Amino acid sequence: MNKIYSYQLAGKNKVSLSDYDPDDTGKFHSKAQALRDLAKHQEKLFELQELLYADASRALLVVLQGMDAAGKDGTIRHIFTGVNPQGCQVTSFKVPSPEELQHDFLWRVHRAVPARGMIGIFNRSHYEDVLVVRVHQNLSRKELANRFDEINAFEEMLVRNGVIILKFFLHISQEEQKTRLESRLHQRTKYWKVSPSDLAERQYWDDYLEAYEDVFRYSSSKDAPWYIIPANKKWYRNVAISQILVDALAALKLKYPKPKFKIARLKVE
Ligand code: AMP
Ligand code: MG
């Protein structure tokens, strides 16, 4: 079995993040080696996405979660650069707007689910409602349990409707986060990414870990698994996630649709 599948959580089991090494680089010994494989994965993703689009019966939903500076933006940039923008849609979930807050927490999420034929990437997701909201708004145990039920029912419904769901937690260490946040303070081109709230959130690190461990425990399933991706090394994070995406799309064994009319009879005048 490829090492990356040991990062997969497919059942409702208790998870301790300390069992997962954020520095792991699997079978890769160098960045150069990983970049070669990433290039191959990008090429395959391009082909498989075209097929997904042509077939138009299934959709792929990629959920990206992680602490601040875990690399969600970078993951999207590096893995999906080669994919046809027409078949791919990224949604970044921010603090809910007043209108969004007037609805149930899944309202804005459901609208962003990819249509058949599309790849949808969630940069943050409905999971923020059991993460940041839990850490800061004191959800009761009952409210939290309800939200997990609602998330599971929602994802199950999507799966039944042909959506492939893959959920990735980009696992970085607290030291790595410090290095990344500090480096943003020292590069003019990174200032725009700096938010004082990210620095303040660091003091809640342990609360977030606990919240994430519950996410893994209560919302992993065979059809909508979580993957805890070692993400201290960006090149490993990219090669691991892209491999999982390629495998999932290839496993669909999609074929280009047959023509609905006799091609041989058609003539371009
Ligand atoms: P960024 O990902 O850096 O653009 O920041 C987006 C911010 O929006 C993060 O601080 C998230 O925690 C926050 N956010 C996203 N979804 C929610 C939500 N449902 N409730 C509260 N805050 C959220
Ligand atoms: Mg941020």
Side-chain angles (χ1 to χ4, degrees):
M1 189 182 75
N2 192 323
K3 174 88 190 276
I4 50 176
Y5 287 97
S6 66
Y7 312 140
Q8 187 195 62
L9 309 169
K12 308 262 182 302
N13 302 309
K14 195 168 177 341
V15 173
S16 175
L17 267 170
S18 58
D19 293 338
Y20 292 81
D21 177 8
D23 279 309
D24 185 15
T25 58
K27 66 171 183 176
F28 294 93
H29 302 294
S30 72
K31 178 174 177 176
Q33 197 189 1
L35 287 182
R36 274 195 298 276
D37 276 27
L38 174 62
K40 286 185 209 155
H41 297 164
Q42 285 169 333
E43 237 172 85
K44 283 192 185 149
L45 262 185
F46 173 83
E47 291 164 14
L48 289 162
Q49 186 273 325
E50 174 107 341
L51 200 50
L52 186 80
Y53 194 82
D55 170 83
S57 71
R58 313 295 300 268
L60 174 65
L61 173 59
V62 178
V63 172
L64 295 174
Q65 285 287 161
M67 304 286 198
D68 292 313
K72 298 181 286 293
D73 298 328
T75 301
I76 297 170
R77 201 167 56 242
H78 287 285
I79 295 181
F80 293 97
T81 39
V83 165
N84 181 353
Q86 213 169 193
C88 190
Q89 122 210 344
V90 182
T91 308
S92 297
F93 289 96
K94 309 280 184 187
V95 176
S97 69
E99 187 191 18
E100 288 167 347
L101 283 174
Q102 293 308 108
H103 293 268
D104 67 273
F105 75 99
L106 291 170
W107 180 73
R108 65 174 184 166
V109 181
H110 202 166
R111 298 207 299 185
V113 168
R116 296 189 177 94
M118 297 288 290
I119 297 179
I121 302 152
F122 282 2
N123 184 345
R124 302 187 189 269
S125 66
H126 43 305
Y127 285 96
E128 290 294 325
D129 290 278
V130 285
L131 291 162
V132 64
V133 176
R134 168 180 175 171
V135 169
H136 289 291
Q137 288 178 23
N138 250 337
L139 287 177
S140 71
R141 288 310 295 182
K142 179 71 187 146
E143 284 167 323
L144 187 61
N146 286 345
R147 286 192 173 194
F148 278 121
D149 285 348
E150 286 150 12
I151 287 174
N152 288 327
F154 171 62
E155 293 184 357
E156 215 178 295
M157 181 272 294
L158 296 181
V159 169
R160 283 190 199 144
N161 279 275
V163 183
I164 314 299
I165 304 179
L166 298 170
K167 303 180 289 198
F168 298 100
F169 171 68
L170 311 184
H171 185 30
I172 56 166
S173 60
Q174 205 172 2
E175 301 73 59
E176 179 64 20
Q177 187 197 48
K178 183 161 192 271
T179 308
R180 291 185 189 184
L181 291 175
E182 273 171 355
S183 87
R184 289 179 182 176
L185 297 179
H186 298 123
Q187 292 178 70
R188 220 176 264 282
T189 57
K190 292 285 162 70
Y191 289 172
W192 66 276
K193 283 200 151 196
V194 176
S195 135
S197 72
D198 288 355
L199 310 187
E201 283 306 278
R202 270 175 64 74
Q203 62 182 298
Y204 300 103
W205 182 271
D206 290 341
D207 296 333
Y208 275 103
L209 282 191
E210 202 184 318
Y212 268 111
E213 287 177 349
D214 274 354
V215 162
F216 304 139
R217 180 171 183 180
Y218 296 113
S219 66
S220 299
S221 66
K222 200 171 82 19
D223 286 332
W226 272 103
Y227 290 85
I228 299 176
I229 301 291
N232 273 2
K233 297 275 185 298
K234 296 172 183 172
W235 48 267
Y236 184 62
R237 169 200 80 197
N238 294 337
V239 79
I241 295 178
S242 57
Q243 175 78 66
I244 294 164
L245 299 179
V246 165
D247 289 351
L249 287 173
L252 297 177
K253 298 193 188 323
L254 298 178
K255 299 259 186 297
Y256 280 100
K258 293 218 169 67
K260 296 187 181 81
F261 27 75
K262 293 231 161 53
I263 289 284
R265 283 197 196 154
L266 295 179
K267 206 167 149 194
V268 183
E269 298 292 349

